[in-house]
Amino acid sequence: MQRKALIIGACGQIGIELTLALRQKLGSSSVIASDVKEIVPDLIADGPYEHLSVLDLDRLRQVIVSHQITEVYNMAALLSATSEMNPAFAWELNMNGLLHTLNLAKEGLFQRLFWPSSIAVFGPSTPRIHTPQDTIMDPNSVYGISKLAGERWCEYYAQKHQVDVRSIRYPGLIGYRSAPGGGTTDYAVDIFYKAIESAKYACFLGPQTMLPMMMMEDAIRATIDITEAPSEKIKIRSSYNLAGCSFTPEELAIEIRKHIPNFEITYAPDFRQSLADSWPDSIDDSRARSDWGWAHQYDTRLLVEKMIEEVRKNLSATAI
Ligand code: AKB
């Protein structure tokens, strides 16, 4: 069967990069981007686009049927910081959006579903260092609660209805093609723009806040690899732990100073600090490595090198 992908939330930070990578692989006409945004970002304007809310079940069904979709990537979500400001809508979007795609998969309208979970499923009682795949999960954020509930729904639909759903617990994602929106880990993208523009950054997390992070290229490769893996290799149907590197804002600043020696960082922690404090420092992703062959490529040094190089190009292109 010819693969045809639908990306829901294609204008978001991950959605844009995933659309680009899948179009490269499958061809532009085989990857339908969709989002609630009226204006399509230039980067993904070269292929099919549907104006679509994942909460509109009838329209979602119609898009899936009319394009003969075989795989759906449901990337529509409110992230951790914005979820705290609008808990009711976060629950509505993160939960009903997932249930809509699980139910359409159960009806047999398409064959595979990818849905992203997050390190936010862990909480203050979770072991922080090399957090195991199976451990205490007591998220205390709206976003984390919705992701943990989503993981339980994924496993339920896989076991009870044979839905072929695959999922990853993303760490903080760092990329240069698309901007993050509403996450606690967003500082680790903003910092590069401010470092290059003004050699100064005021961080909304404290200097010692260690968090798991990952270069976007690694995350996109993981997303495509897990979705393409033979079904029997996917032994976990809730969501897989996934790790790249871990660092604190202070460590990131030290690495950035190797490229921009006069870079200065100051700290003004806000409400996002308590979210970050409830999440792990580092992640044990051995199950993803052994089950479907995951391997990260970017450590902190490489990630910083690549971000500095690419963000410099972005900023000089916008200055022209
Ligand atoms: C966020 O900060 O909300 C996200 C996440 C860790 O899932 N980047």
Side-chain angles (χ1 to χ4, degrees):
M1 186 187 294
Q2 203 215 322
R3 283 175 69 186
K4 199 100 187 267
L6 172 67
I7 301 174
I8 302 169
C11 299
Q13 186 198 15
I14 312 172
I16 288 184
E17 300 245 17
L18 185 59
T19 303
L20 288 170
L22 279 173
R23 283 192 175 154
Q24 185 92 28
K25 204 176 168 87
L26 304 181
S28 276
S29 60
S30 296
V31 180
I32 318 303
S34 73
D35 204 292
V36 288
K37 300 237 162 71
E38 304 273 359
I39 297 169
V40 189
D42 289 347
L43 278 173
I44 57 165
D46 67 321
Y49 181 81
E50 293 281 1
H51 184 241
L52 170 71
S53 163
V54 71
L55 296 176
D56 184 343
L57 184 58
D58 292 338
R59 169 104 177 100
L60 178 60
R61 181 196 304 277
Q62 181 231 320
V63 168
I64 290 172
V65 171
S66 65
H67 288 281
Q68 298 180 301
I69 295 299
T70 60
E71 59 200 56
V72 171
Y73 298 80
N74 181 356
M75 314 307 284
L78 280 203
L79 294 186
S80 55
T82 34
S83 289
E84 290 304 304
M85 289 164 197
N86 199 344
F89 182 62
W91 183 256
E92 160 87 358
L93 177 64
N94 296 1
M95 210 45 25
N96 288 341
L98 168 63
L99 286 168
H100 285 175
T101 48
L102 283 169
N103 280 321
L104 295 180
K106 178 185 155 197
E107 282 181 33
L109 294 195
F110 61 94
Q111 284 69 53
R112 276 183 195 183
L113 173 62
F114 176 85
W115 174 79
S117 187
S118 159
I119 53 162
V121 291
F122 300 116
S125 311
T126 302
R128 297 183 74 92
I129 318 282
H130 293 298
T131 300
Q133 174 70 42
D134 299 308
T135 185
I136 299 168
M137 298 167 96
D138 58 348
N140 58 9
S141 67
V142 173
Y143 175 65
I145 294 168
S146 74
K147 287 295 177 188
L148 181 53
E151 287 192 9
R152 303 320 308 151
W153 279 122
C154 287
E155 191 174 282
Y156 180 88
Y157 272 73
Q159 286 176 353
K160 293 273 185 319
H161 304 299
Q162 291 71 52
V163 168
D164 189 353
V165 55
R166 291 130 190 256
S167 177
I168 283 168
R169 292 172 180 153
Y170 287 131
L173 298 183
I174 300 167
Y176 50 85
R177 290 194 189 90
S178 53
T184 301
T185 57
D186 293 9
Y187 92 85
V189 177
D190 295 344
I191 195 170
F192 289 98
Y193 285 86
K194 299 288 184 328
I196 293 168
E197 282 173 329
S198 62
K200 283 190 176 53
Y201 182 65
C203 187
F204 58 73
L205 297 180
Q208 310 300 340
T209 315
M210 171 83 78
L211 285 171
M213 300 282 185
M214 182 177 286
M215 189 74 194
M216 185 62 85
E217 270 163 63
D218 274 345
I220 297 297
R221 192 165 41 75
T223 305
I224 295 177
D225 284 357
I226 193 177
T227 307
E228 288 182 343
S231 196
E232 63 278 9
K233 293 207 170 197
I234 308 302
K235 302 203 174 81
I236 294 172
R237 294 295 180 159
S238 51
S239 192
Y240 277 92
N241 275 8
L242 200 74
C245 49
S246 286
F247 50 73
T248 65
E250 192 170 52
E251 287 167 351
L252 184 58
I254 290 170
E255 206 54 49
I256 290 175
R257 265 186 221 114
K258 294 181 184 163
H259 304 264
I260 304 170
N262 60 339
F263 175 59
E264 283 170 30
I265 185 165
T266 53
Y267 300 96
D270 65 14
F271 72 100
R272 289 167 279 196
Q273 185 67 52
S274 66
L275 300 178
D277 286 344
S278 73
W279 296 348
D281 288 8
S282 57
I283 298 287
D284 172 2
D285 63 356
S286 46
R287 289 297 307 274
R289 289 175 190 266
S290 61
D291 285 3
W292 47 274
W294 158 247
H296 74 285
Q297 283 172 0
Y298 282 85
D299 59 12
T300 307
R301 187 188 60 77
L302 255 187
L303 178 152
V304 170
E305 206 174 284
K306 181 81 173 166
M307 284 300 287
I308 298 268
E309 185 187 324
E310 297 295 338
V311 171
R312 270 198 178 121
K313 283 190 213 156
N314 284 351
L315 289 173
S316 56
T318 50
I320 291 167

